[in-house]
Amino acid sequence: IISVLVGERAARLSSVGVVATLTKRPELLAKPITVGIDGSMYEHFPNFESILSETAAHFIPEAQFKNISFILAKDGSGVGAAITAMLASKAN
């Protein structure tokens, strides 16, 4: 039971991070957007995606929420690091 509660809490906390980012950039919600999520919790924990989605839907108006889709982004942190390194090298 504790592991279920911890997993549900992780999904809700993950959702709040996504919601905070998207509400800071409302123009992103005007058209379809895909949010890539990396991690074994998203990939393996039962109902993680649905809990994350339900929590996000609570904070984002339905008309905007219908534009959001969540997907598994394998090795997202590694890709993000590579993009950051590329942008930093171009800045120099």
Side-chain angles (χ1 to χ4, degrees):
I1 287 186
I2 291 175
S3 63
V4 172
L5 293 174
V6 170
E8 289 177 358
R9 182 173 184 263
R12 295 188 197 291
L13 288 172
S14 298
S15 179
V16 170
V18 171
V19 168
T21 302
L22 293 175
T23 55
K24 276 291 218 188
R25 300 279 311 275
E27 72 277 5
L28 295 176
L29 294 171
K31 57 184 178 185
I33 184 169
T34 301
V35 178
I37 300 175
D38 185 14
S40 58
M41 286 294 290
Y42 183 84
E43 186 174 7
H44 300 293
F45 188 83
N47 301 317
F48 192 92
E49 181 180 0
S50 63
I51 296 166
L52 184 144
S53 183
E54 289 169 11
T55 304
H58 181 76
F59 295 102
I60 297 174
E62 184 178 347
Q64 294 175 319
F65 182 74
K66 68 179 181 181
N67 290 331
I68 303 171
S69 60
F70 298 99
I71 64 164
L72 177 64
K74 286 282 198 179
D75 195 30
S77 58
V79 172
I83 291 171
T84 302
M86 178 192 67
L87 292 173
S89 70
K90 285 186 176 184
N92 291 331

